[in-house]
Amino acid sequence: MSDEFIPPRGTLDWLPARQAARHAMLDAFRAICDGSGYSEVATPVFEEKALFSRTAGESSEVVGKEMYLFEDQGERVLALRPEFTASLMRLYLGNGMSREAQPVRVWCAGSCYRYAAVQRGRYREFTQVDAEAIGSDDPAVDAELIALQLRWYAALGLEGVELRINTIGDKGDREPYLAVLRAYLDAHIDQVDDEIRRQRDLNPLRAFDTKDPASQKVMADAPKIADHVSEAAQEHFAAVRSFLDARGIDYTVDPTLVRGLDYYCRTTWEVAWPELGAQSGIGGGGRYDGLAESIGGPATPGVGFASGVERVLLALEDQGRLPATTGGVDAFFAIFADAARPELHALLDQARDAGVRCEADLAGRAVKGQMKQADRIGAAQTVVCGDDEWARRVCLVRDMTSGEQVDVPFDGLVEFLVNAKG
RNA sequence: GUGGGCGUAGCUCAGCUGGUGGUAGCUCCUGGUUGUGGUCCAGGCGGUCGUGGGUUCGAGUCCCAUCGCUCACCCCA
């Protein structure tokens, strides 16, 4: 309570139960990616600030005010990564991966950092899983990634997730559309709230996300970007949908779905679990065909998604579907003869080497307390050694289910425990 | 960054219009069973009432500030 140090705001300690659940979630993601031809990579937790500001765009909140920035002793301006996509594109471009068979499909998982107001499901240090396919503009790749993301949720047992998709066209479609949208906003400027007026110049697309009822009414009739995209982009979107339809994936086409990072184009999507409240978005992604050029690379198509592990974990907890922790031990050593402890702890390690999961009392418990502890941790066998057994160089091994007890000599103990384990 | 709610034992929580911190539940430890778990019974450990000020004869209770959690705005994973 009044401890001197507490974790920094927006960070989490991971206690055994939740850490085990998180680990199981990442294992599931790894298995699904492996099975789909995605290879794991890792990138630094910090990068040059410009990598993020150039790709995500200065107008995005993430870059504008949420990045953790610092300068190192070499006066380099660095940022803790707010997301993975830019780093993965940098990795692709900087390691000659454009010469490999395309598309290059990678995934990673790790901590990201954003300085935002802390809320349930929104932390300043949070964990993302991310998968990207770089080097193909095939709509089948967009659909493959959406399917991959949904397969993860399904594997975790998460129910009730909702997929929304949209197309926001190509870069060339953006400015003409934004001009149309601004003209519409200007025509209704007295009916929308201040926030929309403030965003009018820099990020007018955000107007679609408004929660203000009057503004929502106005935006319902606003020109939608999907109606102002190139024919090629429309065809691409139709193809993506056909790949989703053939898989039987449920989705809603949401013409107002706009994502917050500037590099997106064409397909965008979001997956939500609505009961999570304000932070209901558990993952999202999209295509980013212009991203490579923004960091000095050749034109390279790409598509990918990220999903927030903490949010998915919260959803699983709410649904009572936390991955079970692998508890239980095979044997507990209850040693009442102090003189026997060194030799028996050595035997205990030999048993561990043989694959028997075991522990001994380390709290100075009395006999009853040690038995209770053996029961509490779910030990299948309890190895008892008191003065009598020590003198005879045997242990009394108690089967905790049947209650049967047998003497086992020290030199046969490991073998006995291995056999008892089955 | 802006509002609302909440901070009492390791956990879950009582505590009324200010008047001695709870035989509270769970957990933990010990004993009943001189060396044997799960059930039961008994006992025990455990609190600067988030923190710092203020009002008052007296503050867990009222006021201010601060930190944390939480809900919403915002943003997004």
Side-chain angles (χ1 to χ4, degrees), chain A residues 278-290:
Chain A
Q279 311 305 326
S280 62
I282 58 175
R287 182 161 277 285
Y288 45 84
D289 294 347

Side-chain angles (χ1 to χ4, degrees), chain A residues 248-259:
Chain A
I249 289 174
D250 280 331
Y251 58 86
T252 307
V253 175
D254 180 353
T256 71
L257 175 62
V258 172
R259 295 187 55 74

Side-chain angles (χ1 to χ4, degrees), chain A residues 336 365-373:
Chain A
F336 314 129
R365 289 186 185 84
V367 175
K368 180 175 177 173
Q370 293 203 39
M371 293 306 293
K372 193 171 181 178
Q373 177 66 4

Side-chain angles (χ1 to χ4, degrees), chain A residues 192-205:
Chain A
V192 298
D193 68 6
D194 292 343
E195 180 61 21
I196 293 178
R197 279 186 277 250
R198 193 176 65 76
Q199 296 263 34
R200 184 261 181 205
D201 293 322
L202 201 54
N203 207 346
L205 289 172

